[in-house]
Amino acid sequence: MRTLRSVLTLCIAIALCTPTARYVTLPGYAFKTNPQCQRHEPKTRFDRKCDWPRVGFKDFTPPLVTWLGI
């Protein structure tokens, strides 16, 4: 039991001391971005090197839902 408590304490300490995610939301930027990255696109467009996450499918538009069945 004491070993389990020590391992748990060590895991919590590591989790609290690790740096936060490098991708953050900044005002004026359209995507989460890495502030230390040198951008090649304007901040309103997706920069493949600096922005994250790229989610979904290119040119995808969800279907219009007009009827909800029960």
Side-chain angles (χ1 to χ4, degrees):
M1 186 68 154
R2 188 172 193 173
T3 305
L4 179 63
R5 187 179 304 153
S6 298
V7 170
L8 182 61
T9 304
L10 180 64
C11 290
I12 291 172
I14 291 172
L16 292 175
C17 294
T18 55
T20 57
R22 65 180 188 187
Y23 296 102
V24 294
T25 303
L26 296 174
Y29 286 77
F31 301 92
K32 285 188 175 184
T33 189
N34 181 356
Q36 285 79 32
C37 184
Q38 182 180 3
R39 297 186 66 82
H40 298 283
E41 297 288 335
K43 58 185 179 180
T44 56
R45 296 194 57 206
F46 183 80
D47 191 328
R48 197 176 284 272
K49 183 178 176 187
C50 298
D51 292 338
W52 185 263
R54 183 166 194 169
V55 178
F57 303 97
K58 184 177 181 179
D59 300 327
F60 175 76
T61 304
L64 181 63
V65 177
T66 57
W67 180 82
L68 296 173
I70 296 177

